[in-house]
Amino acid sequence: MSIEVKNLVKIYGQQKAVNDISFTVNKGEITGFLGPNGAGKSTTMKIITGYLTPDAGTAQVCGMDVKTNALNVKRSIGYLPEANPLYHDMYVKEYLHFVAGVFDMDNRQAKVNDTIELVGLTIESKKKIGQLSKGYKQRVGLAAALVHDPEVLILDEPASGLDPNQIVEIRSVIKQQGQNKTVLFSSHILQEVQAVCDRAIIINKGTLVANDSIANLQRNTSGNVVLVTFKEALEPAWLQRLPAVQSVTKDAGNKWRLGSNNASAVRKQLLELALQENLNIVSLETEGGNLEEVFRSLTVGNK
């Protein structure tokens, strides 16, 4: 694996900003890193990138410990922090040459030009950074994270300030990079995480509360909807009487949508109903909740 975090702890005063969390992220995987404001996401990312030292536990990048091999770890990482610090008096191309020089890269001119094209900065590349819109400044930060072709990308709110068209373009860049890099991707735009990421890690109050594929998280959320189609027509009252059913909506034909906090109980009760009333179920499936519902169910007690 390219990122390995074990029993990580970071304390500020009396508060545990990061409370004994462990996870791994493998090469070729784009993982969403989610949590409410103040949950510990940025602190964890800063520890992984070597900008903060943990109070306990370890973090490794490409097999290297971030405390004992900090310089080589930083060479392996492309980091876009949430604040996105930039030199506003420098020109875009000048700044990226400067970043490439920090990494002592060969063939800097070609690499800078390729990166500018990759993130869609070509028409803005001769401007000073301070003249750019917030969205284009965000692209400059992403270009700086990519210019040295790192093995690992740590992206903290990369879509911040982007308009819907720019978000689609940057999403494409991240997905392309994720084919052969390790990407840890934090965002409050949950639709972006759902569109880009393979897996989600969710923390709340510094504690890990979920680490699974997005499909599994959606499937297991408490806000599931059961879709059932009967061969026969029936009155909604039959379904409303089922103890686990909270809402009943009729779709086309004899298909029904049943809302519940316990999808498995609804499925069991539907089968019992069909047996008792001699009904024929044509199809029976569970529709998972969206990532927003999953997020709220795991972090609702944050404040």
Side-chain angles (χ1 to χ4, degrees):
M1 65 281 301
S2 295
I3 299 173
E4 185 174 12
V5 169
K6 287 185 178 179
N7 306 116
L8 207 61
V9 175
K10 184 66 179 178
I11 302 172
Y12 295 111
Q14 300 298 313
Q15 180 185 3
K16 279 189 176 181
V18 179
N19 186 11
D20 194 28
I21 68 172
S22 301
F23 62 84
T24 61
V25 187
N26 298 314
K27 184 176 180 179
E29 185 177 34
I30 304 176
T31 298
F33 194 39
L34 309 177
N37 288 331
K41 303 185 304 297
S42 293
T43 298
T44 302
M45 288 178 155
K46 288 175 182 176
I47 291 172
I48 294 170
T49 55
Y51 286 86
L52 287 177
T53 302
D55 293 307
T58 62
Q60 291 189 342
V61 175
C62 301
M64 299 176 288
D65 188 278
V66 299
K67 289 193 293 186
T68 61
N69 207 344
L71 190 58
N72 284 328
V73 165
K74 290 175 182 178
R75 288 194 181 104
S76 302
I77 290 176
Y79 178 38
L80 175 60
E82 185 177 11
N84 190 13
L86 298 169
Y87 294 110
H88 286 189
D89 288 334
M90 295 182 76
Y91 292 92
V92 171
K93 190 171 286 190
E94 177 189 14
Y95 173 68
L96 294 178
H97 271 283
F98 166 72
V99 174
V102 169
F103 287 98
D104 195 24
M105 294 178 58
D106 297 325
N107 199 16
R108 294 175 200 172
Q109 183 69 49
K111 189 58 183 174
V112 166
N113 289 341
D114 289 346
T115 306
I116 284 172
E117 183 177 355
L118 176 67
V119 301
L121 276 170
T122 302
I123 62 173
E124 306 291 336
S125 63
K126 295 182 180 179
K127 290 183 180 180
K128 284 189 175 181
I129 294 172
Q131 297 175 311
L132 302 179
S133 67
K134 183 178 179 182
Y136 276 109
K137 287 174 183 173
Q138 197 71 358
R139 291 189 190 214
V140 174
L142 182 58
L146 289 169
V147 70
H148 61 294
D149 194 24
E151 294 180 57
V152 175
L153 278 177
I154 308 288
L155 306 176
D156 198 352
E157 300 288 345
S160 175
L162 303 182
D163 65 38
N165 291 330
Q166 292 174 327
I167 287 174
V168 171
E169 293 168 4
I170 295 304
R171 179 196 302 170
S172 176
V173 172
I174 293 171
K175 291 182 77 171
Q176 177 188 351
Q177 294 297 310
Q179 293 176 8
N180 53 23
K181 298 184 189 301
T182 303
V183 182
L184 189 62
F185 170 49
S186 173
S187 178
H188 283 109
I189 306 174
L190 298 184
Q191 297 93 327
E192 282 309 296
V193 175
Q194 196 161 342
V196 171
C197 299
D198 311 302
R199 180 163 60 98
I201 296 168
I202 304 177
I203 62 173
N204 187 36
K205 297 180 181 178
T207 301
L208 188 75
V209 294
N211 182 2
D212 206 342
S213 71
I214 289 177
N216 282 343
L217 288 172
Q218 290 175 293
R219 190 177 300 118
N220 296 330
T221 184
S222 61
N224 286 330
V225 173
V226 175
L227 306 177
V228 59
T229 303
F230 291 94
K231 183 177 180 181
E232 301 83 5
L234 68 158
E235 293 297 319
W238 285 32
L239 301 173
Q240 291 166 347
R241 286 195 294 264
L242 298 179
V245 170
Q246 294 180 331
S247 64
V248 176
T249 306
K250 193 173 190 301
D251 275 1
N254 295 324
K255 186 173 184 178
W256 300 83
R257 297 174 62 87
L258 309 180
S260 174
N261 284 330
N262 191 338
S264 61
V266 172
R267 293 168 68 96
K268 181 180 178 181
Q269 290 164 17
L270 283 169
L271 294 172
E272 291 172 349
L273 174 67
L275 190 62
Q276 292 167 4
E277 303 296 335
N278 198 27
L279 299 172
N280 294 286
I281 294 177
V282 177
S283 65
L284 179 60
E285 57 185 311
T286 301
E287 183 181 79
N290 61 35
L291 193 57
E292 183 176 347
E293 292 171 341
V294 176
F295 182 85
R296 283 184 56 79
S297 71
L298 292 169
T299 63
V300 70
N302 184 59
K303 291 186 180 180

